[in-house]
Amino acid sequence: MVDSNVAHVLINKEKLAHNLEFCGQLCKKQGIELAFVTKSICADPYVMQIVRNSSVTAIADSRLDNMAKMEFDGKKILIRPTVPAEAPLVIEHTTHSVQCEMLSLEALNKCAESAGKTHNVLLMIDLGDLRDGIIYYNEKRILDTAEYISHSKGLNLAGVAANYNCLAGLLPDNENMKNLIDIGNKISHLYNTDKPIISGGNSSSTYFLTNPNTPVPKGITQFRMGEAVVLGRNPADDTFVEGLYNDAFVLNVPLIDVQSKADKKASPQKLRRGVLAIGNQDTQIHRLVPVDRRIKIIGSCSDECVVDLSLASEDYKAGDMVSFIFEYGALMTLFASPFVKRIYG
């Protein structure tokens, strides 16, 4: 049993299950599939049990290590392109992967043939976020790559995919979604399926699901969503999504020191400073949001974080817990930390 007096993430299973179903229904109303992005939960077995009990038909992750640990009967989509040496693990642990480099595709084809399998490939298109994928205006490379996939014995061209808001801040809109749909239509004669996947959205596309005046463009068939599901957030504008819980995951951290101190070089005014037993080695401190809005984060080092308790000094003493909700980066790093425990409620 995990000691609740140490730093821990409290996972509310009912709220997470609600968010999964809510997002799934939003997608279903628009005729598209929800692929739940699991990378933030690092293959947590208890969270995956919630996923398996839900109506979700596809999961997506960027880590092969996570994919190897997750049991799931539906689509298992690897959403980071791989290097050739990873081909055996891709074939063994995933059903679909996004790819864009010929050397990797050749390795996947060879490995799939040897294993007697057919691996589903989503051709990764860069619509302008300038991260992975073939840039959308390089039509020759797109067509040549798609043709190679479709003619490979061990591969199936299952569709196309694109990323948003991961590097250059490209947000989804009708124009760039249409670019992806047009590319899908250009290579439609190469699909070995009557229902190709056009995976053209993520949590930044939530607006298209919640605003009746801006429906998802016809032709998009899948959204890959993580942040909206686990945190109830739309990363396009850092707002909470109505109908979703933003506290399915809550971080609780003990205060190890509470004292009034002044930084005499900056100001003679004393602050009631609290020192928390968590630091930069555990999470992205600047992406934590105190539940008690009277508390402000001052700074952090490798294993401690200092907060300003001046407006709430009477309510907190050493040994008490301070609670936080998250931005997405903080949750991902917390689940990767071996030092922060997990409690399921």
Side-chain angles (χ1 to χ4, degrees):
M1 184 175 179
V2 176
D3 183 358
S4 61
N5 294 311
V6 301
H8 65 270
V9 178
L10 179 61
I11 303 162
N12 188 306
K13 294 185 286 188
E14 289 187 3
K15 290 182 178 180
L16 179 58
H18 166 86
N19 284 4
L20 269 171
E21 294 300 335
F22 191 92
C23 289
Q25 288 303 311
L26 286 178
C27 289
K28 187 176 181 180
K29 287 177 183 177
Q30 301 262 1
I32 63 176
E33 178 182 47
L34 167 65
F36 172 44
V37 178
T38 56
K39 62 184 180 181
S40 66
I41 55 98
C42 292
D44 182 282
Y46 296 98
V47 173
M48 280 308 302
Q49 185 61 50
I50 297 170
V51 178
R52 285 191 293 272
N53 289 338
S54 75
S55 60
V56 169
T57 57
I59 59 173
D61 206 299
S62 57
R63 305 279 182 171
L64 280 165
D65 285 350
N66 287 341
M67 283 296 193
K69 297 174 185 175
M70 293 189 293
E71 295 181 9
F72 189 72
D73 291 333
K75 299 184 186 78
K76 295 178 70 176
I77 308 170
L78 185 68
I79 55 175
R80 182 170 68 180
T82 53
V83 297
E86 294 176 306
L89 294 175
V90 177
I91 300 304
E92 182 179 359
H93 298 300
T94 75
T95 62
H96 298 65
S97 66
V98 301
Q99 303 291 343
C100 53
E101 286 288 345
M102 195 63 75
L103 287 175
S104 296
L105 289 165
E106 290 170 350
L108 285 169
N109 180 46
K110 182 179 180 180
C111 189
E113 278 196 84
S114 297
K117 294 182 177 181
T118 301
H119 182 70
N120 297 295
V121 174
L122 301 177
L123 184 58
M124 195 63 167
I125 307 298
D126 183 353
L127 296 176
D129 201 47
L130 304 179
R131 205 179 67 164
D132 45 330
I134 305 173
I135 195 70
Y136 68 96
Y137 50 75
N138 192 340
E139 184 172 327
K140 183 179 186 306
R141 182 167 177 179
I142 290 171
L143 293 174
D144 288 348
T145 308
E147 188 166 5
Y148 173 81
I149 297 168
S150 69
H151 292 162
S152 297
K153 292 182 179 179
L155 303 178
N156 173 49
L157 180 60
V160 293
N163 275 325
Y164 290 99
N165 201 23
C166 293
L167 184 65
L170 178 75
L171 295 178
D173 59 32
N174 281 290
E175 181 180 354
N176 52 47
M177 284 188 182
K178 186 176 183 301
N179 285 340
L180 185 67
I181 295 166
D182 287 346
I183 290 169
N185 290 336
K186 283 179 184 176
I187 61 176
S188 60
H189 63 288
L190 299 173
Y191 292 128
N192 186 29
T193 174
D194 60 350
K195 292 183 179 180
I197 299 169
I198 311 296
S199 189
N202 57 16
S203 290
S204 292
S205 310
T206 306
Y207 180 78
F208 287 88
L209 299 175
T210 58
N211 191 325
N213 298 318
T214 58
V216 177
K218 189 174 182 180
I220 299 294
T221 68
Q222 184 189 81
F223 277 2
R224 308 181 311 276
M225 300 174 68
E227 185 166 353
V229 175
V230 294
L231 300 179
R233 293 174 64 96
N234 178 356
D237 56 8
D238 288 327
T239 57
F240 294 121
V241 181
E242 185 176 355
L244 294 175
Y245 290 107
N246 59 46
D247 59 350
F249 297 81
V250 175
L251 172 66
N252 294 310
V253 188
L255 286 159
I256 58 176
D257 183 10
V258 178
Q259 297 188 45
S260 295
K261 299 178 183 179
D263 180 354
K264 299 225 171 162
K265 293 181 180 179
S267 169
Q269 182 181 0
K270 289 184 177 181
L271 296 180
R272 190 69 171 168
R273 291 172 177 255
V275 181
L276 294 167
I278 197 168
N280 298 333
Q281 191 175 7
D282 306 298
T283 190
Q284 298 178 26
I285 296 293
H286 63 290
R287 296 190 183 278
L288 297 177
V289 181
V291 172
D292 186 338
R293 296 307 171 90
R294 298 174 299 172
I295 297 174
K296 305 295 180 186
I297 295 175
I298 295 174
S300 59
C301 59
S302 60
D303 52 13
E304 294 180 359
C305 171
V306 179
V307 293
D308 182 359
L309 299 173
S310 300
L311 297 179
S313 59
E314 295 182 2
D315 296 332
Y316 294 91
K317 62 183 183 303
D320 288 345
M321 286 285 177
V322 176
S323 298
F324 299 88
I325 55 175
F326 317 92
E327 295 178 17
Y328 196 52
L331 182 65
M332 286 194 296
T333 47
L334 273 170
F335 265 71
S337 172
F339 306 113
V340 180
K341 309 307 177 186
R342 302 170 197 173
I343 295 179
Y344 306 86

